[in-house]
Amino acid sequence: MKTFSAKSHEVERDWFVVDATDKVLGRLASQIALRLRGKHKPIYTPHVDTGDFIVVTHVEKLRVTGNKAQDKLYHRHSGYPGGISTTNFADMQARFPGRALQKAVKGMLPKGPLGYAMLKKLKLYAGESHPHAAQQPKPIEF
């Protein structure tokens, strides 16, 4: 029996919408990363992007457990000496809703061109409305 290998032009990608209200950041991110990668499909092939499109609404209502709202830190560096900037989860959620989820999912995807293509299929929106109604996304519960 030959091993099946999916071709990129043969992959069917579905659209799903997720409501992130009161979902825990890491648990939601791991389920989204699994769907973006395509590991839930029987045609999964490691070197082909077989995943689906995921639209996440209400990203401003994500939560973390314990004291992580104040203790979880995100760092970025300007490239200049002493140019490190640090912010915690609560401040990042208030200023950029959804960026914490995007960073969490990005860390769970492969690095390189394949992972970047997978991350582009993640659409994050604060609030209920999104511009992807024409794709008829199916609601999914994690």
Side-chain angles (χ1 to χ4, degrees):
M1 181 173 186
K2 291 236 179 212
T3 301
F4 175 78
S5 183
K7 314 293 185 293
S8 59
H9 63 276
E10 296 173 352
V11 176
E12 278 192 33
R13 293 186 176 88
D14 296 323
W15 284 75
F16 294 101
V17 64
V18 178
D19 186 5
T21 305
D22 292 330
K23 297 281 194 308
V24 178
L25 172 68
R27 294 173 188 267
L28 180 64
S30 63
Q31 291 295 319
I32 289 172
L34 179 113
R35 291 254 171 196
L36 287 174
R37 187 123 193 242
K39 285 191 140 189
H40 65 290
K41 294 183 177 182
I43 64 163
Y44 170 72
T45 307
H47 62 278
V48 177
D49 184 6
T50 56
D52 296 325
F53 287 86
I54 305 289
V55 178
V56 185
T57 58
H58 295 293
V59 291
E60 76 280 1
K61 296 180 183 177
L62 269 176
R63 66 182 183 91
V64 289
T65 58
N67 294 328
K68 289 190 212 90
Q70 298 302 321
D71 295 346
K72 185 168 181 57
L73 300 178
Y74 296 93
H75 308 285
R76 65 183 200 280
H77 199 281
S78 67
Y80 291 98
I84 195 158
S85 178
T86 303
T87 184
N88 62 20
F89 176 81
D91 294 340
M92 183 175 282
Q93 273 294 91
R95 189 161 177 218
F96 305 107
R99 188 171 290 181
L101 180 62
Q102 183 180 10
K103 283 179 167 285
V105 171
K106 182 180 179 182
M108 297 177 189
L109 292 175
K111 308 321 181 245
L114 185 63
Y116 305 149
M118 291 175 184
L119 192 62
K120 286 179 184 174
K121 295 184 302 186
L122 176 64
K123 315 293 183 184
L124 303 172
Y125 299 99
E128 180 66 36
S129 63
H130 60 83
H132 304 289
Q135 282 76 25
Q136 299 172 346
K138 300 180 210 67
I140 189 168
E141 187 65 35
F142 292 130

